[in-house]
Amino acid sequence: MNENREKWGSRSGFILAMVGSAIGLGNIWRFPTVVGQSGGGAFILLYLLIIFGIGIPLMIGELAIGRRGKSNIVATFKKINPKGKWWITGVIGVTSGFVILSFYSVISGWVMAYIVKFISGEFNNLDTQEISHTYESLVSHPSVPLFWHGLFMVMVISIVMLGIHKGIEKTSKILMPILFAILLILVFRSITLEGAAEGIKWLFKPDWSLITIPTILSALGQVFFSLSLGMGTIITYGSYLNDSENIPYNSVIIAFSDVFIAIISAVVIIPAVFAYGVQPDVGMPLIFITLPLIFGALPLGNFFGTLFFILLLIASLTSGISLLQVVVAYFTETFKWSKKKASIITGFITFLMGIPSSLSTGLLENYTIFGEPILDFMDSLSSRILLPVGGLLTALFIGWVWKPKSTIEEMQKQDNKVPLGRQWSFVVKFILPVVLSYIIISGFF
Ligand code: PHE
């Protein structure tokens, strides 16, 4: 089976697909929101520290087992450790794929609806209340958001169905450069706004008093979500990786691009927020209410607004395909389904799973799970429980079952020296399990 398994066609294709998976709503919507709520500069430094100290080491390990296993995530754990029960980690990963994509697609659906609203000029000359009203009436509508959620899933399915090479790699190669170009235009727009300097200052000036345990936990959760760690995406993408590729080097490039785009997105959003005298710490409405207000007041606002939401859509589409690919790889290889059949069936199930999240901002507004509306619950379930549990089991597996020695062997395939091998082993064996257990325990309280 493995002989005919697909491989990435080129190094740039692999990197762009990985970066495409990493850069998503997490960078452009969640990161600036969390930075806004957690006090700017200090959070950014903390975030960088966690990316380099914890995120990259786990990414290296995930890529290494992925490449060794050359299978879907469940089979990879079984192959490396046939007698144990570690394959359950893979099952958790497949489940996370369904859960995350189901609510991710609902939010991406709102993004698509916003593109149309900007193009049609619906936000022209509206005040905050009118924009809030537009937002509320979109998300509380029983069927319109479902239509957009369905359309987003159709796009994801159509790409994944075409396979790694013709689908995911090709799409990422076309879309990611467009994403970078749009971001550049928007950054330029944002920093040339009058009053933007104050926002930039706020963004990069660390206020250490704001770094508390909850802030550290939210930074950790954000790193996992943003780098697509802990759920098998990286393992799955690593399984199509050529032996000649240098894993640590590629991991650094990918993580660095991810952080860079997150910070740039904050530079796009926060100065604009300051220039218009709005508070940066409003949370979710920042993107869907505050930004339209700001764009509405700018010359060529509709143009920039449309560009911004297209940027979000590209980012979420390339992440969405990486989520579905985890699931599709499992179903094609386990049940011998064709890619087409697996993509359509699992994509449709994801659509159905997203319906309660979509209705949770309207019809099911008063229905909560553990005190949270369904959509927020799905988000917390994934970033506080599923990803950290998946990450913990993966780290324990790499550190104590497969052993760092095997990962290092896997990395030495290109006969290069592995720098910092010892420090890396220490992080995977001790730091990661402790930190992740802590996140999981505190997630329950
Ligand atoms: N990394 C993506 C983002 O930042 C989300 C994601 C999580 C994608 C897990 C795949 C796996 O939006």
Side-chain angles (χ1 to χ4, degrees):
M1 174 176 91
N2 283 345
E3 265 77 84
N4 314 333
R5 208 160 187 274
E6 281 190 278
K7 279 216 160 37
W8 299 107
S10 64
R11 168 140 189 260
S12 60
F14 161 70
I15 291 192
L16 288 175
M18 285 281 286
V19 171
S21 168
I23 296 173
L25 297 175
N27 303 59
I28 301 173
W29 160 62
R30 226 157 172 253
F31 183 79
T33 308
V34 183
V35 173
Q37 289 170 328
S38 319
F43 183 86
I44 295 187
L45 286 179
L46 177 72
Y47 188 75
L48 284 174
L49 202 75
I50 300 176
I51 288 265
F52 286 96
I54 291 182
I56 294 180
L58 186 58
M59 183 181 281
I60 292 177
E62 289 199 10
L63 279 176
I65 10 174
R67 186 165 74 181
R68 177 65 65 90
K70 297 206 174 17
S71 303
N72 64 81
I73 42 174
V74 177
T76 291
F77 284 96
K78 274 194 189 149
K79 248 189 204 171
I80 294 180
N81 178 251
K83 295 214 186 79
K85 291 263 181 290
W86 289 93
W87 54 268
I88 293 174
T89 316
V91 176
I92 298 177
V94 173
T95 313
S96 313
F98 276 120
V99 171
I100 300 179
L101 187 53
S102 74
F103 77 84
Y104 208 82
S105 168
V106 170
I107 302 176
S108 309
W110 301 346
V111 169
M112 291 203 278
Y114 262 55
I115 296 178
V116 174
K117 286 186 193 302
F118 267 109
I119 294 180
S120 65
E122 219 183 300
F123 289 119
N124 287 350
N125 307 318
L126 298 190
D127 62 24
T128 317
Q129 253 169 15
E130 289 163 326
I131 294 180
S132 298
H133 180 73
T134 310
Y135 168 72
E136 286 298 329
S137 44
L138 168 71
V139 302
S140 63
H141 197 282
S143 55
V144 172
L146 281 183
F147 163 77
W148 291 110
H149 160 49
L151 189 61
F152 182 79
M153 282 312 303
V154 168
M155 292 183 350
V156 172
I157 293 168
S158 330
I159 299 169
V160 172
M161 204 163 82
L162 294 176
I164 288 296
H165 199 44
K166 286 206 200 105
I168 297 183
E169 183 166 348
K170 207 164 170 198
T171 309
S172 312
K173 275 186 144 174
I174 298 172
L175 292 183
M176 294 315 283
I178 302 182
L179 179 138
F180 297 131
I182 298 183
L183 255 184
L184 262 180
I185 300 177
L186 290 174
V187 168
F188 187 71
R189 173 66 275 195
S190 171
I191 54 177
T192 50
L193 287 174
E194 217 176 300
E198 203 192 325
I200 305 259
K201 231 191 269 156
W202 180 85
L203 198 53
F204 293 107
K205 194 174 132 246
D207 176 354
W208 296 107
S209 69
L210 293 171
I211 298 300
T212 54
I213 299 275
T215 321
I216 298 177
L217 285 175
S218 89
L220 279 163
Q222 173 65 18
V223 165
F224 268 75
F225 190 82
S226 192
L227 290 182
S228 313
L229 289 168
M231 62 142 292
T233 303
I234 308 288
I235 300 180
T236 306
Y237 274 18
S239 73
Y240 308 107
L241 187 62
N242 261 316
D243 282 349
S244 57
E245 282 299 338
N246 182 326
I247 290 181
Y249 179 65
N250 283 320
S251 304
V252 172
I253 296 184
I254 293 156
F256 186 78
S257 316
D258 186 62
V259 180
F260 182 70
I261 300 293
I263 295 178
I264 293 286
S265 307
V267 171
V268 166
I269 293 167
I270 306 280
V273 166
F274 269 82
Y276 282 84
V278 196
Q279 282 307 310
D281 60 353
V282 289
M284 173 117 148
L286 184 70
I287 297 288
F288 288 106
I289 297 172
T290 314
L291 278 187
L293 180 72
I294 295 170
F295 286 129
L298 283 177
L300 289 180
N302 277 340
F303 170 71
F304 290 114
T306 311
L307 273 191
F308 180 83
F309 282 91
I310 291 180
L311 171 82
L312 262 180
L313 178 62
I314 294 179
S316 64
L317 190 60
T318 47
S319 298
I321 54 185
S322 75
L323 286 159
L324 192 63
Q325 179 60 28
V326 173
V327 176
V328 166
Y330 173 71
F331 280 88
T332 46
E333 292 172 9
T334 313
F335 303 107
K336 306 282 170 280
W337 288 359
S338 67
K339 276 182 235 155
K340 189 167 166 190
K341 179 174 171 188
S343 310
I344 294 177
I345 295 182
T346 57
F348 186 66
I349 296 175
T350 314
F351 170 73
L352 296 179
M353 283 175 63
I355 295 177
S357 292
S358 179
L359 297 180
S360 72
T361 39
L363 280 183
L364 297 180
E365 206 168 18
N366 298 323
Y367 185 84
T368 56
I369 309 179
F370 294 113
E372 285 188 305
I374 304 167
L375 192 140
D376 302 55
F377 170 75
M378 295 296 234
D379 185 12
S380 310
L381 174 70
S382 46
S383 66
R384 296 218 214 126
I385 311 284
L386 292 174
L387 297 185
V389 169
L392 172 65
L393 294 177
T394 310
L396 288 174
F397 182 78
I398 299 170
W400 299 94
V401 181
W402 196 38
K403 304 267 161 62
K405 201 174 94 246
S406 318
T407 310
I408 292 180
E409 253 167 46
E410 182 63 41
M411 293 193 263
Q412 274 166 338
K413 275 191 176 154
Q414 312 82 267
D415 115 286
N416 48 8
K417 282 198 219 97
V418 177
L420 302 177
R422 275 238 193 113
Q423 287 81 343
W424 177 83
S425 307
F426 182 77
V427 170
V428 174
K429 283 181 108 158
F430 302 103
I431 310 266
L432 270 166
V434 170
V435 169
L436 286 162
S437 309
Y438 184 69
I439 303 187
I440 296 163
I441 294 167
S442 55
F444 282 105
F445 298 104

